Amino acid sequence: MQRYFVANEQMSDKHVTINSDDAAHITKVMRMQLGDTIVCINQEQRAVLCVLESVTLNEVTASIKEELFANTELPISVTIAQGLPKGDKLDFIVQKGTELGAVGFLPFSAARSIVKWDAKKGAKKRERLEKIAKESAEQSYRLMVPTIFTSSSSKQLTELINTFTACVVLAEEKAKANETSAFATQLQELSPGDSLLVIVGPEGGITNEELEEFERAGAKSCGLGPRILRTETASLAALAAISYHYELMR
């Protein structure tokens, strides 16, 4: 069953209105008819089962038939701070990270980032990533679309660390040293409702200077096992471990 995210004002007690690209998707791509059912989710994570009442290319209206209460969100809020990688790797990270439960993605320009974003390129890339996150959230039955933050510098990222309950840096040197307990220890210290920032370096990793700055701001460096992971793999491995700890071990 198709799922669509809508703004709060598009959902009343009894009806939902869908417009723009989603309306076109319903009519032209899915070729839905009156009486077909969809699921709609608003910004307050209210999910409802709806029946189509009116279908046009620009606007679709549906009546709410049932409230849905399945909770598909991670117990803690995980934001991925990703050092800008090359090519379309960030698209992949956002798509798969959304499926795995991240609530936000914060690209940052690390010392070893080859890619550089100016304001124009950053705005265009952010718009693309928001679309990827929305489509992935609908596909994976999420109750929210992750936030794509404006790209920042390492210094700006450092200043954000204390706004989260905890922060971990996935450090290559820790993996080489076979450090295996810091990540698990950090998860054990968090409770449902807490927030966690996971910092991942670009290709080439995080410099010692950056790591020291992050640690001084309160972050904890850790490894994810003995193998060295690519930048597009590291955050996904962390999210999978978080899901195992908080969801599969319950």
Side-chain angles (χ1 to χ4, degrees):
M1 188 176 298
Q2 289 298 121
R3 300 168 73 89
Y4 297 94
F5 288 95
V6 299
N8 289 341
E9 58 268 22
Q10 293 175 257
M11 183 183 293
S12 66
D13 290 341
K14 297 183 179 180
H15 293 88
V16 177
T17 301
I18 301 171
N19 45 43
S20 68
D21 292 344
D22 284 339
H25 184 267
I26 289 172
T27 55
K28 295 181 67 176
V29 179
M30 300 306 300
R31 298 185 182 278
M32 291 186 181
Q33 306 292 325
L34 300 183
D36 287 344
T37 55
I38 60 174
V39 172
C40 292
I41 308 101
N42 71 3
Q43 294 159 304
E44 296 179 349
Q45 300 187 15
R46 180 192 179 199
V48 293
L49 179 68
C50 306
V51 177
L52 302 187
E53 289 187 335
S54 173
V55 178
T56 69
L57 185 61
N58 297 317
E59 185 175 277
V60 172
T61 59
S63 60
I64 296 174
K65 297 301 180 183
E66 183 182 347
E67 300 280 344
L68 304 176
F69 297 102
N71 184 7
T72 56
E73 297 300 314
L74 285 172
I76 65 171
S77 297
V78 183
T79 297
I80 303 299
Q82 173 66 51
L84 290 176
K86 295 184 292 185
D88 59 358
K89 292 178 182 178
L90 192 55
D91 294 1
F92 176 82
I93 291 166
V94 169
Q95 182 188 61
K96 301 309 177 185
T98 296
E99 291 181 35
L100 288 166
V103 301
F105 298 89
L106 201 168
F108 72 98
S109 182
R112 291 174 177 163
S113 289
I114 297 174
V115 174
K116 303 297 180 184
W117 288 1
D118 55 25
K120 183 178 180 181
K121 183 177 181 179
K124 186 176 181 180
K125 186 67 174 178
R126 183 182 179 188
E127 183 178 345
R128 172 175 170 78
L129 294 174
E130 287 174 340
K131 183 178 181 181
I132 290 172
K134 179 178 179 295
E135 291 174 351
S136 185
E138 290 170 344
Q139 177 273 322
S140 57
Y141 282 34
R142 294 286 302 274
L143 294 178
M144 62 169 292
V145 179
T147 300
I148 308 297
F149 293 94
T150 302
S151 178
S152 67
S153 65
S154 293
K155 182 178 179 181
Q156 290 170 323
L157 176 60
T158 301
E159 295 170 350
L160 292 174
I161 287 176
N162 64 7
T163 65
F164 294 84
T165 308
C167 174
V168 296
V169 185
L170 304 186
E172 180 178 326
E173 294 305 316
K174 293 292 183 180
K176 290 179 178 178
N178 201 28
E179 190 286 309
T180 58
S181 62
F183 191 73
T185 299
Q186 182 61 81
L187 295 186
Q188 291 171 357
E189 293 175 355
L190 294 173
S191 301
D194 286 344
S195 59
L196 175 67
L197 179 66
V198 178
I199 300 177
V200 182
E203 300 90 348
I206 293 170
T207 66
N208 290 334
E209 292 76 15
E210 287 174 319
L211 184 58
E212 290 171 2
E213 288 293 329
F214 294 150
E215 290 179 335
R216 277 196 290 268
K220 296 180 180 179
S221 58
C222 61
L224 290 176
R227 290 165 294 281
I228 305 304
L229 305 179
R230 293 177 182 268
T231 185
E232 66 269 31
T233 309
S235 63
L236 308 186
L239 286 164
I242 290 168
S243 174
Y244 179 79
H245 179 85
Y246 289 105
E247 297 177 319
L248 301 184
M249 289 290 287
R250 285 189 303 181

